Amino acid sequence: MPIIEGPARRLSRAGKGRHFLKTVFVLNGPNLNALGKREPGIYGGKTLAAIADDCKQAGAALGLEIDFRQSNHEGDLVDWIQEAADKAAAIVINPGAYGHTSIAIHDAIRAVAPLPVAEVHLSNIHAREPFRHVSMVAPVAVGMICGFGPLGYTLALQALAARL
Ligand code: DQA
């Protein structure tokens, strides 16, 4: 069951008003719902709910509405990227393992250009197994932050806020 929190549903008919333009979708891919108990030596002990709280706090300081979601299903992420074209000013995405494999997510991001997208990974994917060194998202993202744990989400929001 995908996790959806935030204002996008409420704002779905809001058109392109000022409030609406400051919404950032923060999208999370497979297995990230298990943060806190999943391989804490790699991903740390923080839960995804706590990361969502961090994002909302950082968003409030930056004047951004945060719409924080997670799904284990590739198609949900594609749907949400498409939805962001009409409802968000930018996307932060931790695509999880789909970042290494998903041409569909790559294509979805290309299709919503020039919507700025920041890729985040908690771990340093370049210091891990070779299959994690490739990102399908990085070529279509504004930038990528990896290896700084949950702080990466806040850094990505700051970077996007500076562009908006
Ligand atoms: C991850 C890195 C991916 O390689 C892995 O499949 C994940 C988490 C990260 O945040 O470090 O699920 O995206």
Side-chain angles (χ1 to χ4, degrees):
M1 184 67 132
I3 301 165
I4 304 181
E5 293 178 24
R9 285 172 177 273
R10 175 160 50 84
L11 292 171
S12 62
R13 290 192 178 78
K16 295 195 182 297
R18 270 177 60 229
H19 185 62
F20 174 78
L21 285 172
K22 293 191 172 183
T23 298
V24 176
F25 278 18
V26 181
L27 305 180
N28 295 275
N31 298 305
L32 294 169
N33 56 312
L35 287 178
K37 49 184 191 256
R38 174 192 182 198
E39 298 186 88
I42 294 175
Y43 299 115
K46 206 161 198 172
T47 63
L48 194 65
I51 292 174
D53 287 344
D54 288 351
C55 287
K56 284 172 193 160
Q57 201 175 332
L62 295 164
L64 303 172
E65 295 254 20
I66 302 302
D67 191 319
F68 195 95
R69 306 179 181 194
Q70 186 276 332
S71 177
N72 292 326
H73 304 280
E74 187 176 16
D76 285 338
L77 295 163
V78 170
D79 287 345
W80 292 342
I81 292 163
Q82 292 180 1
E83 186 184 338
D86 294 326
K87 295 184 181 170
I91 298 173
V92 173
I93 185 166
N94 181 346
Y98 287 141
H100 310 304
T101 62
S102 179
I103 296 169
I105 290 173
H106 173 104
D107 284 350
I109 293 171
R110 286 182 81 102
V112 297
L115 193 73
V117 175
E119 180 181 8
V120 170
H121 294 278
L122 295 157
S123 62
N124 179 356
I125 57 174
H126 300 290
R128 300 183 62 193
E129 305 95 320
F131 63 82
R132 294 185 205 274
H133 296 180
V134 173
S135 169
M136 302 300 291
V137 172
V140 286
V142 172
M144 185 225 266
I145 296 166
C146 72
F148 294 102
L151 178 63
Y153 287 77
T154 300
L155 296 173
L157 287 169
Q158 288 173 348
L160 289 172
R163 288 180 67 95
L164 294 178

